[in-house]
Amino acid sequence: MSALLVTGIALLGAPAGWVAVPVGRLFCADRAAGRRAPRRAVLASVGAVAFGGLAAARGDDPALPTLLLVASVGLVLAVTDLTALRLPDPLVGVAALGGGLGLTAATAATGEPRRLAVAAAGAALSFIGYALLALLPRARLGFGDVKLAAALGLPLGWLGWPALRLGLLLPHVLAGVAVLVLLAAGRVRRDTPVPFGPAILGGAWLAAVLT
């Protein structure tokens, strides 16, 4: 994909991030619990980086429009989780349904049904793995995290087993580093609830870009 086209797609990510903040607030206005939503300028920058990175790494993949759709929904989910520790089922459902339909269309375009089968397996493995972690004693994962991991396992599976493995591992690394930094800065205590959704989303994005 040309640099000009990558830049154009990155610029599309900025308004997606900008709009994600007010849309996310609609889903958690009654559950913000004193937390502040991320700034729109910050989310606009994150959206531009997310879209641009996917375009640069996956510009030749017919599933790129699907990845961008999931990234758009992911920006809204990041807002809701950071603001209200919530990953609303309707948003996760949009990511899952949009991902499934988009990957089905990509399969028809490429004539590679095996990739769709691996995508389905990726969703199932992600769900099972996160569900087992959520059921562990003192687990801090909620079933919103489990459902989000399953929705993201679908496109990660489409991208291949290396992307899926990395997408399952990186969220825990990112979350661990973030918690250590927050503890060191005195922003949280050991018993402070910390949203895990952004780590799942960030890990999936890194896996899609790096593999």
Side-chain angles (χ1 to χ4, degrees):
M1 180 175 286
S2 69
L4 183 61
L5 193 51
V6 169
T7 301
I9 292 176
L11 291 176
L12 289 175
W18 184 269
V19 171
V21 175
V23 173
R25 286 173 177 159
L26 295 176
F27 285 90
C28 56
D30 59 335
R31 297 182 58 180
R35 294 171 177 262
R36 294 181 60 185
R39 295 187 177 183
R40 298 181 78 172
V42 173
L43 259 292
S45 300
V46 171
V49 172
F51 275 44
L54 290 172
R58 299 291 176 178
D60 296 330
D61 196 308
L64 178 61
T66 302
L67 299 177
L68 297 177
L69 170 63
V70 174
S72 298
V73 181
L75 291 168
V76 182
L77 284 165
V79 172
T80 63
D81 208 17
L82 290 168
T83 305
L85 296 175
R86 185 182 183 191
L87 295 168
D89 285 344
L91 291 175
V92 177
V94 169
L97 181 61
L101 292 176
L103 294 178
T104 300
T107 298
T110 61
E112 297 181 85
R114 184 191 66 82
R115 294 187 72 177
L116 189 59
V118 177
L125 289 173
S126 298
F127 179 83
I128 293 170
Y130 272 80
L132 291 175
L133 291 175
L135 292 172
L136 290 175
R138 298 183 182 179
R140 296 200 174 189
L141 286 177
F143 270 84
D145 300 313
V146 175
K147 287 177 278 190
L148 176 59
L152 296 180
L154 196 62
L156 288 175
W158 168 274
L159 297 177
W161 294 113
L164 180 62
R165 287 194 295 268
L166 198 58
L168 290 173
L169 172 65
L170 281 177
H172 303 283
V173 176
L174 294 176
V177 171
V179 168
L180 288 175
V181 170
L182 291 171
L183 284 170
R187 299 287 299 276
V188 300
R189 301 191 303 270
R190 291 184 180 274
D191 59 346
T192 301
V194 177
F196 196 74
I200 299 175
L201 293 161
W205 179 79
L206 282 172
V209 168
L210 296 177
T211 55

